[in-house]
Structures are given as C-alpha cells and as structure tokens.
Amino acid sequence: MKAIEVKTLTKHYGSARGVDDLSFGIEKGEIFGYLGPNGSGKTTTIRCLMGLLRPNLGQCILLGQRVVPGRATQHTRIGYLPGEFRIWPRLKARKALRLLARLGNGNEVDKRREELAEKLDLDLDRRAGALSKGNRQKVGVVYAFQHQPEVLILDEPTIGLDPLVRQVVLDLIREVANAGSTVLLSSHDLSEVAAVCARAAILREGRLVELAPISKIVQQGERRLKVWFAKGATIPPLPADRIDGIRVIQQNEASLQIAYQGSADAVLKWLARFPVDRIATPQTSLEDAFIQYYRKEAGNE
C-alpha cells in the first residue's frame, strides 16, 4: 500500500485550470519532490490531498483511506505545513501549538515540541504576532512535525529561513523519513529537493510532465563542457548543424564553455580537430535541468 495516491485528479476554477488528470503515488518512507513554478498546480494538489478542496474528478488516498472533501481524513496521522502558514497573533507560540497539538498524542507531543524548538532556536514564549517572518515559519515547522505524523505534506517549508535553519529543517525531513514517515516536499528551491529527494514530479500548467528519479531529470537537461585551447589558437565556431542543441554559455580569448544535448561523442570528436589544452565538465544542477526541461516541453506545444 502506498502512503499517498493521487488518481486522475482534476480540479478547475471556473474556466481556469488547477490540475488536470493528475496521477502519481508515493511509497512509505519516501521523500518525494513536487516541482513547478507558481500556478502550475502544486498547491491545488496539496489542498485536495488535505480535503480542503473538492476535485471535479478523481480522488486522493492517504494511508489507504480515500480523502473526503470537508472532512478531517486521518489528520491525526498527517503533518501539514501550508505555503502561507498563519497562527493566532495574540497567543504565545507555545499556547498556539498546544491547541493545534490536540491532533496528536498528549505528553509525547509536548516533549517533541520542546525538542524541535531547541533545534530551531525558537522562543516559544513570544506572541506569534511579534515574531519575525522566519520565526513564524519555524512555528509552522514545529506545528507540522510535533505530533510525529506518518505522512508530512510540506508546501515550501524553508521559505523565509536563513541557511543554517534551512539545513536543520532538511535534516529533520531526512530524520523522519529514516524513521518510516513519508514526505511530500513542494518547493521552489531545487537545490533542497535534490539534497533530500530521490524522486520528483514536475508539473506544468496543471499537468504532470515528468515523474522520475532526480538523477534522470538531471540527465535529461543540457550537459556542459568547458574547454581551454592552446595558447594562440583560434576558438572555432560551433558545428550547430551537426550537434543537437549545442550553444555557447561563455567565451573569452582562451576558453569556451558550451552546452549540448545527448552523447558527448560528437562533441569530443569535433574538439579533437583543434589544439585543446584541457577540458572540464561542470556539474549540471537540478535547476539547470529543470529550466531546460521546461523549455523543451514548451517547444513541443
């Protein structure tokens, strides 16, 4: 049994499309990346999973039970951090979290809350309305994690956090997954998705355009070479008619950085005709691959 299943999910807002015929599953203990720009359908999917929206078609299943819109479907077993986390501004953070913790397991939640606050360097005795944006986001992280849920649905969990605290949150995500929890991580920060997720889905205008291991997504992007030519050599023009997708990223008097698609064989055979001093292969990032993948998909329409 998968921890999360989305089956032919369709949600429209009048004439506007939210998500269309969306299907995927997430295994227990998996950290699953959910990628796409604003308006691609990530938050719509999450709200359907939480029962906050009623889909036009399809269904969501959490821990083997179908989500019924408008009902709290197994929320005692789910940790949810919305993209815009808000809390009662007049209450101290600790009291607000205690109220929210009634979803959880009594004293164990109290103990876990204090542990999380210490890790995040969060003062729970300040009123929520007096906290900075980053500290309010920390409260949201504690809220999602404090009752030790079996499934965590996190929409932009590190937004507004400084780099050190972001790393703490990523460590927490790894920690709970190692203990058996399942995590759906929706994020604009592709580096953090690459750091913790083995698989990811890519959305574009409400449709699923890829669902694959992170390594495969990166491989589908452009590949890069930086070439230094021998002193005094003329840098040759690119053979765009013979090598798919080859383009110049950067060029100066002595070196040329290029991007290309497919096998390196044709590129290396072309370079072998010239006095090359050395070659480096800059690592392709998930962000580079994601951008190129989106360009490719847009070009197919």
Side-chain angles (χ1 to χ4, degrees), residues 182-195:
T182 303
V183 182
L184 187 153
L185 173 60
S186 173
S187 178
H188 284 94
D189 191 323
L190 301 180
S191 63
E192 72 183 22
V193 171

Side-chain angles (χ1 to χ4, degrees), residues 78-94:
I78 300 167
Y80 173 48
L81 178 56
E84 295 183 9
F85 177 75
R86 296 180 182 179
I87 202 166
W88 302 282
R90 294 181 179 275
L91 294 184
K92 292 182 179 180
R94 178 178 281 104

